Amino acid sequence: WLENVGSGFILLALVYMFWSVINRYGDEITANLVNMEGTWGVPFWGATMLFLGIYSTMMLNVSDYSRELKEGTKPGLLTTIYAMSILPCTLFMGLIGLMVSGATGVSDPIQVFSSAVDNTPLLIITLLFIAFAQVTTNVLNNVVPPTYILMDVFKLKFRTSTIIVGLLAFCTFPWELVKEESSAGLQMFVQTYSAFLGPIFAVMVVDYFILRRRKLDIDKLYDENGPYKGVNYAAVIAALAGAVVALTFSSVSWYASLLPAGITYYLLMQNWKPCERFRN
């Protein structure tokens, strides 16, 4: 219920924020954004790559969310749930950030929102709930997946794993990362880890959609002594090959890694004898 209430309110808050920014900075937005000449070159694709690099962590960990769904949830409803939970808020946040930075030169949407809203009690309530909703969102996106990993690798309890993840998150000093002077380093960080997440994404897509045609034997998949025991080195080699290409084209690392990793994985799985047991 916490997630549902928080996500619903943050969407309403973003709609209100969107309206407030347009109402206060409409002329500046028209002059600086609507009438500006743009480009579809490398800077554009580099910017979208950073966006995808951040969201690829959720793409790869989607099983950590879907395992909580009740059995029998139909594909149509599942697609709607995922689309409504991600797309509206993501688009509003992106548009508000673009409008705010373009109109005022300030990159922090909350700072501009504070100056764009005249109703102080409403502003305080909205900002508090946005902060609250961000906490619930980050618990789902950034705490649940590593918690499951610690439980699986070190056989820890859920409560213990969650506390460790929280302490480790604190040790990364996230308040330093969001400072304006940290933006270049943060961009480099996203580009670097995207060079490894892109190939993993490509391997998973090729494996599931092309090689297995969306059919998995779950019992064999989780059988510690079954046919999938050990390491599939085709996936490791393909991921590393994609990462090498990605690091060579760091500004678009996520995109650059997809084809090399996917093609390498497909060829190895089809022709390399050590991979034969993984093909069954």
Side-chain angles (χ1 to χ4, degrees):
W1 70 266
L2 196 65
E3 294 287 353
N4 291 336
V5 172
S7 60
F9 190 90
I10 197 172
L11 181 57
L12 294 175
L14 286 171
V15 171
Y16 177 62
M17 188 187 293
F18 183 78
W19 177 83
S20 299
V21 170
I22 292 250
N23 190 49
R24 177 65 64 91
Y25 300 106
D27 293 338
E28 291 89 341
I29 291 170
T30 302
N32 297 337
L33 292 176
V34 176
N35 296 329
M36 71 180 290
E37 292 185 8
T39 172
W40 290 89
V42 174
F44 171 81
W45 294 109
T48 61
M49 194 288 303
L50 289 173
F51 178 83
L52 277 171
I54 293 170
Y55 271 86
S56 63
T57 57
M58 284 186 279
M59 295 179 197
L60 297 180
N61 292 324
V62 72
S63 59
D64 292 322
Y65 319 134
S66 59
R67 73 170 73 184
E68 306 295 344
L69 288 170
K70 294 179 180 179
E71 190 175 353
T73 305
K74 295 182 179 179
L77 178 59
L78 194 62
T79 303
T80 303
I81 290 172
Y82 278 126
M84 291 305 296
S85 63
I86 292 177
L87 284 177
C89 287
T90 301
L91 291 173
F92 267 119
M93 282 297 287
L95 281 171
I96 291 169
L98 178 65
M99 292 191 305
V100 163
S101 59
T104 66
V106 178
S107 58
D108 185 357
I110 301 300
Q111 186 178 335
V112 176
F113 180 53
S114 302
S115 63
V117 178
D118 297 323
N119 189 324
T120 303
L122 180 61
L123 173 65
I124 293 173
I125 293 171
T126 302
L127 290 179
L128 282 175
F129 219 109
I130 285 177
F132 168 75
Q134 286 294 337
V135 171
T136 65
T137 302
N138 284 314
V139 166
L140 177 66
N141 291 341
N142 302 326
V143 176
V144 171
T147 294
Y148 281 141
I149 290 170
L150 290 179
M151 290 172 65
D152 184 49
V153 175
F154 299 106
K155 312 303 178 187
L156 300 175
K157 294 182 178 179
F158 182 82
R159 184 187 294 262
T160 306
S161 298
T162 305
I163 292 172
I164 292 173
V165 169
L167 292 174
L168 289 174
F170 182 83
C171 292
T172 63
F173 306 114
W175 53 90
E176 292 293 333
L177 295 176
V178 296
K179 290 182 178 179
E180 194 165 336
E181 58 267 27
S182 304
S183 59
L186 185 59
Q187 178 171 329
M188 183 183 297
F189 174 67
V190 175
Q191 288 173 336
T192 303
Y193 79 66
S194 296
F196 297 93
L197 295 185
I200 295 172
F201 176 76
V203 166
M204 293 176 71
V205 168
V206 170
D207 188 83
Y208 181 66
F209 286 98
I210 297 177
L211 295 177
R212 306 192 193 282
R213 301 186 184 279
R214 300 192 301 167
K215 292 183 180 179
L216 296 176
D217 189 325
I218 301 298
D219 293 330
K220 289 182 179 178
L221 190 65
Y222 286 95
D223 184 356
E224 292 184 358
N225 298 308
Y228 304 131
K229 181 182 179 181
V231 178
N232 182 357
Y233 286 102
V236 176
I237 293 170
L240 290 176
V244 169
V245 176
L247 291 172
T248 305
F249 303 95
S250 59
S251 61
V252 288
S253 58
W254 201 88
Y255 293 125
S257 68
L258 297 181
L259 282 178
I263 293 171
T264 302
Y265 181 68
Y266 179 82
L267 293 175
L268 288 174
M269 285 292 286
Q270 293 290 66
N271 302 293
W272 197 23
K273 191 165 181 63
C275 301
E276 188 174 347
R277 66 187 179 93
F278 291 104
R279 288 199 301 265
N280 295 329

